[in-house]
């Protein structure tokens, strides 16, 4: 073999080394093009990566949205039952189940429901003049409201006591005129404060206890007529008279 110079040997070694590197790296260089036409395969690989990233982002967004809705925050719908007051709710976990305020002169109403977190109470004042509801609203004293009786427990029927002041007394259907005269008198002076006034009209009148017919401080409730009375005017059954003998008629407790 002809002798070679050192330079020749070095050149030969370089060529061999370069060729070896090319062969070793060749599979990596051609791998993206293993499909139809290298460029197409390379694009397909990029699209797969992008698609995976997009799906991951969409899943994360949906999870965030669900979390926001569940907590009632971030503009989501109010969530009933989470124990906190969200917009549009009147209660959550502490909803009223009864609206009774213990007052007879209010109408208690429960609206909405605890299940919808919109339960609420209203306690409107009673204004109707109705007997038997236990309430005497303002202005009902002269309107026949049995609950406005000035003699509690006097009976289910009502009448003005004859003084012209709109005071209502209660009586029962079987009460005599005398009993009604007593109840009418007690509605004016107070229960237990009326007695028969003696000394005139055959003792058939009620007035304030301790007073007589001449006393100028007691009104008289007559339960009998007195056509032959010793002074005018002639008094009819149920007439109520101003204080003093021969007082003027101011009303009638039977009306």
């Amino acid at each position: 073999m002809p002798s070679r110079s050192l330079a020749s040997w070095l050149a030969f070694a370089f060529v061999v080394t370069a060729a070896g590197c090319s062969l070793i790296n060749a599979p990596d260089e051609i791998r993206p093009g293993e499909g139809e036409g290298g460029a197409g395969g390379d694009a397909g690989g990029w699209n797969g990566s992008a698609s995976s990233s997009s799906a991951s982002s969409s899943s994360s967004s949906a999870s965030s949205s669900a979390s926001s809705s569940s907590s009632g925050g971030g503009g989501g719908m109010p969530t009933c039952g989470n124990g906190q007051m969200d917009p549009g709710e009147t209660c959550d976990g502490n909803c009223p189940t009864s609206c009774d305020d213990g007052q007879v002169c209010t109408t208690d109403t429960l609206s909405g429901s605890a299940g919808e977190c919109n339960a609420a109470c209203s306690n409107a004042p009673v204004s109707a003049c109705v007997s038997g509801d236990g309430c005497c609203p303002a202005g009902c004293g002269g309107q026949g409201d049995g609950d406005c009786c000035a003699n509690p427990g006097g009976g289910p029927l009502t009448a003005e006591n004859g003084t012209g002041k709109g005071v209502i007394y209660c009586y029962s259907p079987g009460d005599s005129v005398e009993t009604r005269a007593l109840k009418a008198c007690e509605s004016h002076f107070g229960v237990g404060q009326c007695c028969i006034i003696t000394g005139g009209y055959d003792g058939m009148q009620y007035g304030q206890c301790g007073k007589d017919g001449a006393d100028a401080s007691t009104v008289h409730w007559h339960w009998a007529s007195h056509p032959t009375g010793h002074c005018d005017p002639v008094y009819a059954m149920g007439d109520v008279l101003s204080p003093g003998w021969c007082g003027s008629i101011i009303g009638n407790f039977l009306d």
Side-chain angles (χ1 to χ4, degrees), residues 76-208:
M77 294 296 291
T79 303
C80 181
N82 63 2
Q84 65 183 23
M85 289 279 289
D86 294 311
E89 296 179 345
T90 60
C91 58
D92 198 323
N94 60 344
C95 296
T97 56
S98 172
C99 294
D100 185 2
D101 60 1
Q103 304 296 316
V104 297
C105 284
T106 60
T107 300
D108 307 322
T109 305
L110 174 63
S111 60
S113 70
E116 297 293 332
C117 287
N118 61 356
C121 285
S122 66
N123 306 99
V126 172
S127 58
C129 302
V130 179
S131 297
D133 62 357
C135 177
C136 176
C140 289
Q143 303 300 317
D145 189 334
D147 299 298
C148 298
C149 294
N151 58 319
L157 303 178
T158 63
E160 208 273 340
N161 72 359
T163 60
K165 297 181 178 181
V167 178
I168 299 297
Y169 76 96
C170 295
Y171 66 97
S172 298
D175 284 349
S176 65
V177 177
E178 179 183 352
T179 298
R180 288 184 60 179
L182 173 61
K183 291 181 175 180
C185 177
E186 289 183 332
S187 71
H188 182 78
F189 289 115
V191 177
Q193 301 301 310
C194 291
C195 299
I196 292 176
I197 300 298
T198 60
Y201 303 109
D202 299 324
M204 295 182 180
Q205 56 187 340
Y206 274 103
Q208 188 176 15

